[in-house]
Structures are given as structure tokens and as C-alpha cells.
Amino acid sequence: MCGIVGYTGLDQAKDILVDGLKRLEYRGYDSAGVALEATDGAGDSRIDVVRRVGKVAGLESELVGVDSAATCGIGHTRWATHGRPSVANAHPHVSCDGRIALVHNGIIENFAELREALVRRGHTFMSDTDTEVFAHLIEEAYDGRPADAATGEPARPGCHDLMGAVREACTHVVGAYGLAVVCADEPGVIAVARKDSPIIIGRGERGSYVASDVIAVIDATRDVVVLEDGQFARLTREGITYTDAEGNAIEPAVTHIDWDIDMAEKGGYPDFMLKEICEQPRVVRDTLVGRMTGGELDIDELGLTMEELNLIDRVYVIACGTSYHAGLIAKNLIEMWARIPCEVEAASEFRYRNPIITPSTLVVAVSQSGETADTLAAIRDARIKGAKVFGITNVVGSPVARESDGVIYTKANKEIAVASTKSFIGQVVSLTLLALLLAQVKGKLTTGQVRLLFSELGNTAEQIQWILDTQEEAIHEAALACKDAHSALFVGRGMGAAIANEGALKLKEISYLHAEAYAAGEMKHGPIALIDRDFPVIAIATKSPVYDKTVSNLKECEARGAKIIVVATEGDEDIHKIAGHVIYIPPVRDAFSAITATVPLQLLAREVALMRGCDVDQPRNLAKSVTVE
Ligand code: AGP
């Protein structure tokens, strides 16, 4: 979950790389660096590497003093996996002679044994990273490899061809990589390789571009190649060629990107998180567009016939983090409406748990980024076991989309803030549609009932807008009540219990305040012991079949002096008797309450984080997509 970018063309590369890295910073911000191809007075070319711990802005100021006419270079923004954030561990990494430099997104699982062999064969390592082995492997393939007494392997001549050397090096590596490599002996050339890590390649009027995400190159081109696993590319000022692992020429498909760059700008908001929270009414509307045609629910991307759908007798939702919480909402709806057993599984556990899967099992993989490693691996595992896999993702052409039998795209567009908000709402709306369709196919809901529920689902867009327009003060006051706490509990019952999980995660990940979610009824079985004077208990107590039970649980907390903050249904005046702070949402069917009641919790977390001086868009230690196990 690093970001890599590369450019070779007619213009100076330095600023193009820095702008690209700024757009990719949501992928990791522990350190940043660039490698620029330079030519000295005698016309000899070399690689200048500039690296800095921390955000891209730091690298940018470091580069101010660097007068580089280089028109070819690569850049990286890092999310540390192997080796703590430091200049030595920052990318780009170089070969022993400094003539080969590379940036990498991914993890090399067998790096320890490769490193040991390379050291044995005389290479010197400058970092603790896994990535650096790539630089030395490419160096050996390019310049030649000495005999290895320990393995008895004979010396091997170098191929003195960057593409050949990169392909050769990849044959030794186990793991995931999005890789861009430059070499002083081949000025103007960038070699690119991809396996299980996103790589986008584009050709613009002023040159050739490579990046981890289209957002870094969209200014230059809207027609990009999403490189597939095992494919390689050679970028020059003049053009781009592609090969497979054997070096055979290939012609990958070109994808046209239809969203505009404004999506990647703050649009006048103080941060991306608030901007994206305020986009949620649009996300609900856009995700529902074209879903009810001729009075019938339409999810033809499902890739399953009505007969196959009717045979489904078990549903697994597999996901991580916030997407997992969307799964918790879906479980309630699928079991309530379609009467099909539904398990929600953390993808990182699912893949090692050997779950019971049969051909009539539907696995729903939910992922905003579409590239979360655990979710991808769980998909592959489920397919091997014979399940039908349906993907719900926000990124067109992402690995989750490509590796699922069918896919729905949440129409949230680009989500930049690391804390997922609008994509969660898009996921819940999409999962609600799936639950409605399963219920209709199973004959548990009539077409008329589905139409009624569909129109009520559509109303949640303006209900979110009402919350955004009217609850700012109440949320601010509630945040003031939480900002100095050391810990908080989020509680609810039924749908509220599922929503509480997302509320707690949002507060944890952006304000670094410890928070736990608990089914309200479970409080008295232990967690209530945590409560003392002023301990924040944030409750989802909207009108629902379990409202009264929730209120009585809150009274138990109030009796212990808890500071009670409640998300309640507009018009519920009684709730003020037990809650010091009340945030209202419009009346909504309990089944849809997750779509509206989550919004105040997103805003509350943001306010508390701002009051605690945290960076709400780029919280510490996190990255937007987690492409390693
Ligand atoms: C949520 O705010 C976090 N960004 C994180 O928990 C995220 O939901 C998780 O990493 C899953 O990501 P995905 O939806 O892209 O697969």
C-alpha cells in the first residue's frame, strides 16, 4: 500500500513526480523519494536519488534545491511494512553501483533467503527493507552473477538489457509487486512489472506515465492500461511496449477513465473526509440509478440466473474493516428478508478457516479499493471451493472486480480520505439491493413490497442531507463531551449494534481514542465495569423494535454516571431524560437506519479528531488500501 509513479518524456520529471506522489499519498505517508536520471558534463548519465522521511511535502522542499533537468524518473510514497520509516528504508532503492534504481509497492515474502544469498555473492545492503533485494537481483541479471559456492550454481553472464533483467529478477521473487525501474545505462527507459499489486500505464502528449492509481496520471491521459499479473511494460519518451513473462509482445486493453479530476480535489472543503461525507446523498442516488426498471429490481451484473439465485442456500460476506461492517448490516437484511443464513467473515480469517462452501453458496466480497490482499485471497479460496463470488467495489477494473463472477460498482467515485465514509454508504445501499433481490427471487417479498422498500431506500438520500443541514451544532457539542476521554463505548441493539461497530472504528482510526462497540444488552455482562463518571457511551437508539430495550440498557449506564450521547429519531423528546447529548436523524425504517444513523457517527469522529489535532485525511499508521497480508 505504497504509491509509485514514473515519467519519461519531454518535460522535466521532478515536478510531475511530486504532483503524482501527492495524489497517491493516501496510500502511505511514512517516507517519500524520487530517482532522477541526470547527465553530467561528459554526457554520462547517472541516477540521483532524493529521499525524505514523512510526507511528500517534505520531499518537495528537499527537491527545491535540486536543479534537475531530468526528463525521466520514478517516485514513491511509502507505507512501512519491512523496516521502520527512515531515509535508509525509503524508496527508491539502488543497486550496489547506484546505476539501477527502483520503487516497489507490495511485499517480497522470500526476501530473507534472497538477501542471504545476495550477501553471500558479495552484495552490500543499505536498508532493512524487503524491496532492496529486487535492486540487487536486477543488478545481477543485468551485469552478471558470480558463482555461488554454497549452492554450487555457476557464474552467469549479464543480459545488459533492463527489461530482460527485470523479467529474470521477478522469477526469483515470491510475493506481490508493482515495480518501476530505471537504469543509468538505458537513459529514458522505465521498466515496469506487476504481480498482485496495481499498476496503471498511460501515454500522454508529453510522454509515458506509470502509477499505482490513475489519479496520479489523469491530468496527462484518460486512456490507461491496467497492467495484469505477469505482464511487463517498457516506457520511453517515444512510446510504450508490453510483454509477457517470456518477453513475447502483447497488446493489453486500454480503459477510458470517465471521472474528472475535481473528484480528487477538496472542492472548497477543509478536508477530504468532510467533502466525502457530504457527497453521501449523491452516492445513494447514483448507486440506485437504473436499479428499478419496469417495476423490477435490476442487478444484471450479478452474473447469476434467477434459477441459480434461487438455489443459493448460504451467503458469506467477506471483507475487512469498514467493508466488514457493511457486511454486518447485510446479514441482518439478508436473513430478515430472504431467510437465507448469512455469515460475515473477516477475510483474513476466512481464508484460513476452511469454511463450509458448496456450489449453492454465494460469497459476497466487499472492498472499497478492490485490492485488499486478504479479501482477494479469500475470493480465490472461495472460488477454488466452488462458491459463486459476487464483488461489491468502488474501483472499476480493480482485482476484486476482475476476480469475481459478477460485480456491482458503488458509485462513490474516488475516495481519498483514509477513513471510508461515502464508500460505506454505497456498499450498504448495494448490499440492501442484493438482499431485496434474493428475497424477491426466494418469493419472500412480492414485487410490490420490493418496489415500496426501494422507494423508501431512495428517501435516505434527502434524510442524510437533513442531518448534514441541521445537526452540526449537536454533533459539535457531543464531540466536546468526548474529546478528552481515554476510551469510549458504542452501543446499540439489532441494526444499532452493527452500526456501533462502524462508529467505534471511525473514532479509533482518526482520533486515536480507544473505542469499542458492544451490543447494548451485553453491557451488563462485563463492559459496564468500565463505566465511571464522564465515560462516554455513544448509543444508536433510533426508533426500532428494540428501542425500549436499548433505552433500559442506557439507563444502567446513566446510573453509573456515564456521559451518554445518543443518535435518536427526530421527535423523540423522551430520550433527553437519559442522554446529555442527542443527535437526531429523520424517522426511517429500521432496515435502512444504518444508511442515515452512521452519518452522525462519521461527523462526530471527525470533530473529535480535529479537536485532538489529528489529521483526519491521513491518520497515523494507516493507508487507504491494504495490499499486503
Ligand atoms: C476504514 O475506514 C479503513 N480505511 C479500513 O478499515 C478499510 O475499510 C479496510 O482496510 C478495507 O478496505 P477495502 O474496503 O478497500 O477492502
Side-chain angles (χ1 to χ4, degrees):
M1 45 238 171
C2 303
I4 72 173
V5 65
Y7 169 75
T8 177
L10 305 170
D11 300 326
Q12 288 199 353
K14 191 175 76 169
D15 297 340
I16 293 172
L17 297 176
V18 169
D19 288 350
L21 289 177
K22 281 184 182 163
R23 294 239 176 100
L24 294 172
E25 204 165 34
Y26 68 89
R27 304 178 66 83
Y29 26 88
D30 290 324
S31 63
V34 294
L36 298 165
E37 271 184 9
T39 313
D40 63 18
D44 290 340
S45 58
R46 67 173 192 280
I47 308 281
D48 289 342
V49 171
V50 181
R51 303 181 289 182
R52 178 84 178 253
V53 172
K55 301 203 172 175
V56 175
L59 173 69
E60 187 174 26
S61 54
E62 190 96 12
L63 284 166
V64 168
V66 176
D67 169 21
S68 170
T71 57
C72 176
I74 53 177
H76 186 271
T77 181
R78 183 177 187 230
W79 193 88
T81 55
H82 293 73
R84 61 184 179 76
S86 68
V87 171
N89 291 334
H91 298 212
H93 288 288
V94 297
S95 55
C96 294
D97 61 6
R99 300 186 65 71
I100 290 170
L102 59 85
V103 290
H104 169 225
N105 172 29
I107 277 200
I108 301 175
E109 291 167 21
N110 62 337
F111 85 98
E113 64 200 70
L114 290 171
R115 181 177 176 127
E116 194 187 316
L118 286 158
V119 168
R120 202 171 50 239
R121 295 198 293 268
H123 290 261
T124 307
F125 278 71
M126 308 303 284
S127 78
D128 311 320
T129 66
D130 53 335
T131 297
E132 193 183 347
V133 294
F134 248 133
H136 298 284
L137 286 172
I138 295 169
E139 178 178 24
E140 278 200 339
Y142 196 93
D143 295 332
R145 197 178 95 160
D148 190 331
T151 60
E153 285 170 292
R156 208 179 37 227
C159 64
H160 297 286
D161 162 48
L162 184 59
M163 287 310 298
V166 170
R167 282 194 293 269
E168 158 64 21
C170 290
T171 61
H172 301 287
V173 167
V174 177
Y177 49 82
L179 196 64
V181 189
V182 291
C183 173
D185 298 347
E186 296 188 27
V189 174
I190 301 177
V192 175
R194 181 226 152 106
K195 179 177 170 300
D196 280 341
S197 195
I199 287 280
I200 300 284
I201 294 187
R203 177 81 186 144
E205 279 161 21
R206 309 291 298 169
S208 304
Y209 303 78
V210 55
S212 301
D213 185 320
V214 68
I215 199 172
V217 302
I218 197 167
D219 287 356
T221 178
R222 290 180 167 285
D223 299 307
V224 298
V225 165
V226 180
L227 209 60
E228 304 267 351
D229 284 352
Q231 294 182 339
F232 295 79
R234 183 176 187 277
L235 280 61
T236 66
R237 295 185 181 81
E238 294 70 33
I240 305 168
T241 54
Y242 300 91
T243 71
D244 61 16
E246 283 69 47
N248 307 313
I250 56 171
E251 283 300 322
V254 175
T255 302
H256 181 74
I257 304 298
D258 58 10
W259 50 266
D260 64 38
I261 194 61
D262 290 346
M263 290 292 172
E265 307 300 342
K266 286 187 187 145
Y269 286 91
D271 48 71
F272 281 109
M273 187 174 181
L274 183 60
K275 173 180 177 266
E276 290 160 2
I277 290 173
C278 295
E279 284 181 49
Q280 297 181 123
R282 174 197 58 76
V283 173
V284 172
R285 291 190 192 95
D286 287 1
T287 304
L288 292 176
V289 167
R291 293 297 175 196
M292 185 61 81
T293 43
E296 291 287 333
L297 209 48
D298 175 354
I299 312 181
D300 54 15
E301 304 96 317
L302 204 51
L304 293 174
T305 63
M306 290 305 141
E307 292 65 38
E308 287 172 318
L309 262 183
N310 202 3
L311 291 174
I312 297 293
D313 60 8
R314 180 196 299 269
V315 175
Y316 284 107
V317 179
I318 52 173
C320 304
T322 283
S323 299
Y324 172 88
H325 296 151
L328 296 176
I329 310 289
K331 173 182 172 65
N332 287 339
L333 300 176
I334 290 171
E335 293 191 346
M336 174 172 69
W337 285 331
R339 309 305 294 150
I340 304 173
C342 177
E343 311 289 330
V344 185
E345 302 267 348
S348 54
E349 290 297 313
F350 182 82
R351 56 184 300 203
Y352 295 109
R353 196 175 66 71
N354 193 15
I356 300 159
I357 287 182
T358 67
S360 56
T361 301
L362 176 66
V363 168
V364 182
V366 183
S367 174
Q368 184 286 129
S369 61
E371 59 178 346
T372 300
D374 286 315
T375 307
L376 266 178
I379 289 174
R380 292 170 188 151
D381 190 57
R383 298 195 72 180
I384 291 166
K385 291 191 169 89
K388 302 269 183 315
V389 176
F390 181 49
I392 295 182
T393 182
N394 195 40
V395 178
V396 177
S398 61
V400 165
R402 287 204 307 275
E403 301 200 24
S404 299
D405 298 299
V407 60
I408 276 189
Y409 290 114
T410 50
K411 298 290 176 16
N413 287 323
K414 189 78 199 154
E415 189 172 64
I416 306 279
V418 168
S420 304
T421 53
K422 61 177 182 174
S423 63
F424 173 73
I425 296 298
Q427 289 166 352
V428 174
V429 172
S430 304
L431 287 160
T432 305
L433 291 175
L434 176 66
L436 287 172
L437 183 68
L438 286 169
Q440 187 175 320
V441 168
K442 292 279 180 180
K444 304 297 182 190
L445 289 177
T446 65
T447 315
Q449 288 171 315
V450 169
R451 258 186 245 132
L452 171 69
L453 290 164
F454 184 86
S455 74
E456 278 188 32
L457 179 58
N459 300 340
T460 58
E462 70 221 38
Q463 290 165 359
I464 293 174
Q465 194 58 52
W466 182 89
I467 297 165
L468 297 171
D469 297 343
T470 63
Q471 297 304 302
E472 191 175 346
E473 187 48 35
I475 291 165
H476 183 73
E477 291 304 316
L480 285 172
C482 295
K483 69 178 180 60
D484 300 323
H486 302 294
S487 184
L489 274 173
F490 285 73
V491 299
R493 278 180 175 255
M495 205 54 98
I499 300 166
N501 285 279
E502 181 54 11
L505 177 60
K506 287 283 117 19
L507 190 66
K508 273 186 278 208
E509 67 178 322
I510 63 172
S511 76
Y512 320 143
L513 199 166
H514 173 257
E516 245 187 290
Y518 243 84
E522 281 299 295
M523 290 284 288
K524 51 188 172 295
H525 303 289
I528 200 163
L530 289 169
I531 293 178
D532 56 13
R533 186 141 295 290
D534 297 338
F535 187 102
V537 171
I538 297 142
I540 295 89
T542 51
K543 293 295 179 186
S544 76
V546 287
Y547 171 80
D548 295 339
K549 298 289 182 207
T550 308
V551 169
S552 61
N553 295 136
L554 290 179
K555 285 185 177 149
E556 293 152 6
C557 300
E558 187 213 11
R560 273 100 187 147
K563 202 180 273 182
I564 300 190
I565 294 157
V566 167
V567 176
T569 302
E570 187 208 0
D572 179 356
E573 292 310 320
D574 286 347
I575 200 76
H576 284 282
K577 294 188 188 116
I578 52 171
H581 300 275
V582 178
I583 304 162
Y584 283 118
I585 66 169
V588 62
R589 181 186 291 268
D590 186 46
F592 303 143
S593 60
I595 298 168
T596 50
T598 305
V599 176
L601 303 179
Q602 297 166 340
L603 291 163
L604 178 68
R606 178 180 170 276
E607 283 271 338
V608 172
L610 291 172
M611 289 172 182
R612 292 162 68 97
C614 303
D615 180 335
V616 296
D617 283 346
Q618 294 178 347
R620 69 185 185 201
N621 303 344
L622 289 180
K624 182 68 182 168
S625 51
V626 183
T627 53
V628 293
E629 253 196 81

